[in-house]
Amino acid sequence: MAEEAAYIPYVHCQTLNSHGHALSSVKFSSDGRLLASASGDQTIRTYAINLKGDRIAEPAQVFTGHDSGISDVAFSTDARFIASASDDKTLKLWDVETGSLIKTLHGHTNYVFCVNFNPQSNMIASGSFDETVRIWDVTTGKCLKVLPAHSDPVTAVDFNRDGSLIVSSSYDGLCRIWDSGTGHCVKTLMDDENPPVSFVRFSPNGKFILVGTLDNTLRLWNISSAKYIKTYTGHANSQYSVSSAFSVTNGKRIVSGSEDNCVYMWELNSRKLLQKLEGHTEPVMSVACHPTENLIASGSLDKSIRIWAQEN
Amino acid sequence: MNAPIIDPLQGDFPEVIEEYLEHGVIKCVAFNHRGSLLAAGCADGGCVIFDFETRGIAKELRENDCAAAITSVSWSKYGHRLLVSAADKSLTLWDVSTGEKIARTTLQQTPLHARLNPGLSSPSLCLACPLSSAPMIVDFEIGCTTLLPVSVPEMPDVLAPQQRSKCAESGPPFSPAAACFNKCGDLVYVGNAKGEILIVDYKSVRVLALVPVTGGSAVKNIVFSRNGQYLLTNSHDRTIRIYENLLPGKNVLSSLEELGKNVDGLDGVEKMKTVGSKCLTLFREFQDLVTKMHWKAPCFSGDGEWVVGGSACKGEHKIYIWDRAGHLVKILEGPKEALIDLAWHPVHPVIVSVSLTGLVYIWAKDYTENWSAFAPDFKELEENEEYVEREDEFDLIPETGKVKVSSVNEDEEVDIETVEKDAFSDSDMSVEELRYLPAEPIPDTNEEEQDELKLIEARISASPASEEAGQNGHVADHTSSPLGEEMGETRGKRKRKPSEKAMELQAEKAKSSKASGRTVREKSRASGDQEIDGSVNGVDDDDDDAYF
């Protein structure tokens, strides 16, 4: 366990055991007030984040309605709505306050694997096992575009900070960047060997993408030069779509889940492994970093969510 | 931020109709500052705001007691307010985010054209050009209307007539004039029936300069480019003239005063003309020498590089595009319906034109698929190239355990947070701009759910065509694979270019969509009616069949 001078380690604060099945995704809302979790038990749950209280995360709402396990969940920018992607081939749009279902988006022909809102929250992008990325209109629920994105299941979709670009990754080893307005492919990023890509997201300024591949590696790619500039290793990722995140609240870091039941944290620039958060008893599928506080949430196949904070 | 990845869009102009928007009978359109929202005034007195990205309806502004057709819509600079003028002589100021009416006045005459002051962030001051009276400044806060001078009298030391009153009295009959604010909103440029451009300080109601338009025929439209450097006039002699604005961007009034003082020995009209010659110089003239048509709704492109004008002939929908040097670069032809309004998107090469039938056509560039984007080492060739291989290209060399040496210096500092300043923002962004209206999802009802499910089942069993396949040609190739089981076979197909036949069909469709009234790639946008889904999908299925 590497320690930097003046590095304050994260410690385990809370465990949430509300779900009845494995966790697939955890996300913080952009104002940091809520945490959402999606699970194979066909429900999504939200928790209110209260940093001053005893328990940081208090269960708030349960969203039921999907007929199959859920793979991903996303908050709209104003945290009024959440969208969920499920194995029942649909996406559902829910009202966060009331927990009620607003809309169901039909169109995908296979499991929907990933979902994200654009920053303006008037469009939703979703990736599916049917190898396409779909862009939906939030107001009407209509599918605006079908992008013929990949030749294998699409594992992640993300919008950049002004919503003009979408990045998608797939088991076919490619990451593709699309213009969200026209639906045209702008760039394809691939390496000589193309291991299946399990996760991708934009950096906060939209110039880089963090790519997780099933050869136990995380890479930071520069989009314009189409080359990777940083590599992070040490964790285990060869089977599941493990998500990773940027942590920018206290120094620039990369946080990722791992199949060896730990959460890994590296320094972004030096690529040094800073800490391994242990506690889960099964592979950690998803991690999320709070937008303003030094808080990390991790969801695992052991059905629990753990909250980690920096001790002060 | 996306500038290094996407090709620069400046210097491009649209070519084909991409889709159309429909909501009642639309009469006039206006883009907001960024082009993310399009306001459209309808014949039934309501105003609808489209979210231009999703091409759906973001908001509707409707007043129950106003049922007269809307004659013009105008956004405030940061998009918070919308000014709507209607055929019942009223001007209404709306707050866009709340959808509430801020103020409303009634004028003596129907304003044909009303523009909010572009210099203020929350303007309550606007310029209205009525049908047959002098342009006037309407101040909503004070509630007064000021008529602007339309001509400079011949007598040297009499200032132009001033009229300031609570309600505008119908003064001496002025012939119709066109007027617009300059970029910072402290001057008004008036084009009158004698073929002169008057630069007016509206606060003191004084004419500061005069620029005679060659030919001396009545000025019908007068418009500034977005950066305020060029001025366009559309005259009765069927010519569009471009003037270069010589005045500085800021502190225009003091510059004009300076110019006025420096002119010695001249008074009245002569003085005005001399000052005027220092404010505007004629740059170019555009006219169609062949058909000698009148122009309608001329305007600049967002970056001022192109000038677009619609043909005012009834029965044809033609849009002429010139570059600023004066060359006609394109004539866009739409369906055979008269054109009543035109707007160029502030940022993208997209034109929006309103036809007499009330449809809003969106013109965009014809897209040719960039195959190199899909495979980075794939180079597109325009034509066959002879390839001469190297001497040793096909030699068999025993692989010496090559280890891939990473030539990347991974220790370099990487900055993931700083964002470059937005290239498209002009002026200071001290005020929060209203770029988007929050999306309000329309809740599903039970029946719609059932309909959707039935549609999907029917589609899955009947034809493998995916809906909304009209987006780009090669989605059609994918439709030959049933849901995911046989992905292996079609995988190879997807990575190749579509067959020649598909390309031909696509080209034909693009050509026919230009001329025909109904476009192939349409998505009809009735206000969020879910039932439309059925018919749209049905239509698209028909189109898919045409591919095979």
Side-chain angles (χ1 to χ4, degrees):
Chain A
M1 198 146 89
E3 293 221 6
E4 233 184 10
Y7 170 73
I8 306 167
Y10 278 76
V11 288
H12 170 244
C13 287
Q14 196 184 349
T15 306
L16 297 157
N17 283 308
S18 342
H19 280 289
H21 209 277
L23 266 291
S24 54
S25 173
V26 289
K27 292 252 171 88
F28 279 105
S29 62
S30 39
D31 55 7
R33 286 185 311 115
L34 293 167
L35 174 68
S37 62
S39 161
D41 68 358
Q42 307 175 12
T43 66
I44 303 128
R45 284 167 194 266
T46 48
Y47 310 85
I49 300 291
N50 175 12
L51 299 145
K52 309 276 190 301
D54 275 347
R55 290 155 51 82
I56 295 182
E58 281 293 337
Q61 278 282 5
V62 184
F63 303 82
T64 49
H66 272 297
D67 300 326
S68 261
I70 303 168
S71 299
D72 201 5
V73 68
F75 273 104
S76 66
T77 316
D78 52 10
R80 283 176 57 202
F81 309 110
I82 50 176
S84 56
S86 164
D87 282 358
D88 63 4
K89 307 180 198 165
T90 66
L91 292 127
K92 285 191 193 275
L93 197 60
W94 313 82
D95 181 313
V96 168
E97 280 294 312
T98 61
S100 56
L101 169 64
I102 305 178
K103 283 186 109 52
T104 304
L105 308 177
H106 297 275
H108 276 297
T109 52
N110 210 325
Y111 312 141
V112 191
F113 202 70
C114 46
V115 66
N116 246 317
F117 275 90
N118 68 343
Q120 299 87 19
S121 295
N122 58 354
M123 297 205 280
I124 289 175
S126 63
S128 159
F129 263 57
D130 66 4
E131 306 173 5
T132 63
V133 170
R134 279 177 186 250
I135 304 180
W136 311 82
D137 177 12
V138 170
T139 314
T140 55
K142 290 179 65 158
C143 180
L144 295 172
K145 293 198 175 52
V146 183
L147 309 181
H150 292 280
S151 46
D152 266 322
V154 179
T155 49
V157 278
D158 192 23
F159 279 93
N160 67 343
R161 64 182 294 279
D162 66 352
S164 57
L165 298 175
I166 295 175
V167 65
S168 66
S169 66
S170 161
Y171 284 149
D172 64 4
L174 306 175
C175 291
R176 287 205 161 119
I177 302 194
W178 309 82
D179 178 320
S180 59
T182 56
H184 299 139
C185 181
V186 168
K187 206 151 198 167
T188 302
L189 297 166
M190 64 183 211
D191 203 10
D192 285 347
E193 309 123 21
N194 33 7
V197 181
S198 56
F199 185 73
V200 75
R201 77 187 300 156
F202 274 105
S203 66
N205 62 1
K207 293 199 203 150
F208 306 97
I209 49 173
L210 184 63
V211 179
T213 45
L214 291 186
D215 61 351
N216 311 309
T217 319
L218 266 169
R219 286 197 174 92
L220 191 69
W221 286 71
N222 178 329
I223 298 177
S224 30
S225 70
K227 297 230 173 306
Y228 61 86
I229 44 179
K230 300 276 179 200
T231 312
Y232 306 93
T233 49
H235 62 300
N237 183 8
S238 55
Q239 276 190 295
Y240 299 106
S241 231
V242 171
S243 74
S244 38
F246 289 94
S247 163
V248 295
T249 47
N250 185 7
K252 315 251 186 296
R253 313 214 176 120
I254 303 275
V255 182
S256 170
S258 165
E259 286 154 12
D260 62 4
N261 314 347
C262 301
V263 175
Y264 280 70
M265 183 173 339
W266 296 267
E267 229 256 84
L268 184 121
N269 276 310
S270 67
R271 294 157 294 137
K272 206 157 57 140
L273 180 62
L274 291 173
Q275 196 178 355
K276 258 168 71 162
L277 303 170
E278 293 166 9
H280 281 291
T281 52
E282 292 227 27
V284 178
M285 296 294 290
S286 174
V287 289
C289 294
H290 194 278
T292 48
E293 301 295 327
N294 299 324
L295 213 62
I296 295 177
S298 60
S300 159
L301 292 183
D302 66 6
K303 310 176 195 166
S304 74
I305 303 170
R306 280 173 187 253
I307 311 275
W308 316 78
Q310 279 198 317
E311 53 188 356
N312 42 0
Chain B
M1 11 64 266
N2 54 4
I5 310 170
I6 301 182
D7 290 329
L9 298 173
Q10 275 99 333
D12 279 64
F13 46 86
E15 287 155 7
V16 287
I17 294 183
E18 188 179 57
E19 65 185 295
Y20 66 82
L21 302 172
E22 189 175 1
H23 185 82
V25 177
I26 295 175
K27 287 277 168 210
C28 49
V29 286
F31 276 109
N32 69 342
H33 190 72
R34 291 257 159 183
S36 52
L37 297 169
L38 179 73
C42 307
D44 58 1
C47 182
V48 66
I49 299 178
F50 289 97
D51 178 334
F52 203 64
E53 284 185 357
T54 60
R55 308 279 158 91
I57 301 204
K59 211 164 199 100
E60 273 198 60
L61 303 172
R62 181 170 292 276
E63 210 186 342
N64 291 331
D65 33 306
C66 172
I70 307 285
T71 52
S72 83
V73 281
S74 160
W75 289 88
S76 71
K77 183 167 182 196
Y78 294 114
H80 295 283
R81 298 186 174 193
L82 193 69
L83 178 72
V84 171
S85 65
D88 61 356
K89 307 180 191 167
S90 66
L91 281 177
T92 315
L93 188 62
W94 295 88
D95 180 317
V96 175
S97 40
T98 58
E100 299 291 319
K101 184 174 67 170
I102 301 176
R104 184 189 157 96
T105 65
T106 314
L107 302 173
Q108 290 285 335
Q109 301 203 325
T110 301
L112 279 182
H113 209 67
R115 292 282 171 267
L116 277 171
N117 187 326
L120 308 170
S121 51
S122 300
S124 53
L125 197 75
C126 73
L127 175 68
C129 303
L131 179 56
S132 53
S133 147
M136 56 184 79
I137 296 281
V138 179
D139 190 332
F140 284 101
E141 271 173 19
I142 310 176
C144 90
T145 324
T146 316
L147 280 178
L148 290 177
V150 164
S151 57
V152 179
E154 291 304 313
M155 287 172 22
D157 43 7
V158 171
L159 290 171
Q162 291 189 34
Q163 281 166 17
R164 195 182 284 271
S165 49
K166 279 253 174 230
C167 57
E169 51 194 42
S170 54
F174 291 108
S175 19
C180 69
F181 278 106
N182 70 340
K183 181 171 175 207
C184 29
D186 37 9
L187 289 176
V188 174
Y189 284 65
V190 179
N192 63 11
K194 288 195 277 180
E196 294 163 343
I197 303 175
L198 302 169
I199 303 180
V200 177
D201 171 13
Y202 63 85
K203 293 204 180 75
S204 54
V205 197
R206 277 186 313 138
V207 180
L208 294 175
L210 189 151
V211 180
V213 174
T214 357
S217 67
V219 175
K220 295 197 294 184
N221 300 97
I222 183 165
V223 175
F224 259 97
S225 71
R226 188 174 146 113
N227 56 9
Q229 283 185 319
Y230 293 97
L231 179 72
L232 176 159
T233 59
N234 178 18
S235 307
H236 197 72
D237 63 355
R238 307 152 208 232
T239 311
I240 294 178
R241 290 184 178 82
I242 310 286
Y243 289 86
E244 206 174 324
N245 183 16
L246 302 167
L247 293 171
K250 304 227 192 304
N251 300 321
V252 186
L253 276 175
S254 42
S255 319
L256 267 179
E257 297 290 351
E258 281 296 312
L259 285 171
K261 286 196 203 103
N262 292 342
V263 174
D264 297 322
L266 290 172
D267 274 330
V269 180
E270 284 308 312
K271 177 175 171 189
M272 303 287 177
K273 283 194 185 160
T274 321
V275 176
S277 60
K278 300 206 171 71
C279 303
L280 290 174
T281 52
L282 178 60
F283 189 66
R284 283 285 176 276
E285 288 188 1
F286 304 128
Q287 49 183 248
D288 188 330
L289 293 164
V290 174
T291 55
K292 292 234 175 274
M293 59 172 66
H294 282 275
W295 302 108
K296 203 167 173 75
C299 59
F300 284 97
S301 70
D303 52 3
E305 279 298 317
W306 313 93
V307 177
V308 66
S311 135
C313 298
K314 294 259 187 317
E316 65 176 10
H317 195 96
K318 274 195 185 165
I319 301 171
Y320 283 62
I321 306 180
W322 297 270
D323 66 10
R324 231 175 38 222
H327 308 120
L328 177 65
V329 290
K330 191 94 188 168
I331 302 178
L332 300 175
E333 277 208 54
K336 298 257 176 279
E337 302 151 0
L339 187 150
I340 53 177
D341 200 5
L342 196 60
W344 194 303
H345 193 282
V347 172
H348 297 128
V350 167
I351 289 179
V352 151
S353 69
V354 183
S355 82
L356 195 60
T357 55
L359 293 174
V360 175
Y361 292 104
I362 302 176
W363 299 79
K365 280 188 78 63
D366 201 8
Y367 178 73
T368 44
E369 197 77 60
N370 175 16
W371 298 104
S372 320
F374 280 93
D377 45 0
F378 190 88
K379 200 181 93 183
E380 282 186 55
L381 299 176
E382 291 293 311
E383 52 179 20
N384 286 338
E385 276 178 23
E386 275 291 320
Y387 181 66
V388 179
E389 62 266 22
R390 286 190 328 267
E391 186 69 42
D392 58 355
E393 181 140 359
F394 296 112
D395 290 356
L396 291 167
I397 306 166
E399 289 285 334
T400 54
K402 268 195 292 182
V403 173
K404 181 180 174 198
V405 174
S406 168
S407 53
V408 177
N409 174 17
E410 291 216 352
D411 291 324
E412 258 179 63
E413 287 283 313
V414 168
D415 182 3
I416 56 164
E417 285 205 291
T418 44
V419 183
E420 274 140 21
K421 184 162 150 48
D422 205 339
F424 287 125
S425 73
D426 36 20
S427 75
D428 65 315
M429 302 308 274
S430 49
V431 177
E432 176 81 35
E433 199 179 322
L434 182 78
R435 291 198 209 182
Y436 299 97
L437 290 169
E440 296 290 334
I442 301 165
D444 281 342
T445 61
N446 258 338
E447 309 154 357
E448 282 156 0
E449 280 275 315
Q450 298 302 326
D451 284 344
E452 283 281 1
L453 289 168
K454 278 193 215 136
L455 269 170
I456 288 160
E457 264 135 61
R459 206 179 307 126
I460 290 170
S461 52
S463 84
S466 65
E467 40 146 28
E468 268 103 3
Q471 268 311 302
N472 33 35
H474 61 270
V475 174
D477 286 345
H478 297 203
T479 60
S480 54
S481 96
L483 327 156
E485 280 98 70
E486 293 152 30
M487 290 189 286
E489 291 165 28
T490 53
R491 201 170 303 162
K493 209 172 175 184
R494 266 167 224 174
K495 284 203 169 151
R496 308 282 179 272
K497 282 184 186 181
S499 63
E500 268 205 338
K501 186 146 199 299
M503 302 280 274
E504 271 179 315
L505 282 166
Q506 195 187 358
E508 268 169 30
K509 287 230 159 157
K511 267 189 264 171
S512 62
S513 73
K514 260 192 266 185
S516 69
R518 232 198 88 237
T519 70
V520 171
R521 303 184 192 186
E522 77 181 60
K523 279 186 224 152
S524 59
R525 291 266 171 259
S527 45
D529 282 335
Q530 294 289 53
E531 294 84 52
I532 301 287
D533 283 352
S535 57
V536 169
N537 294 335
V539 165
D540 284 343
D541 276 345
D542 287 340
D543 294 338
D544 293 338
D545 291 345
Y547 272 106
F548 302 106

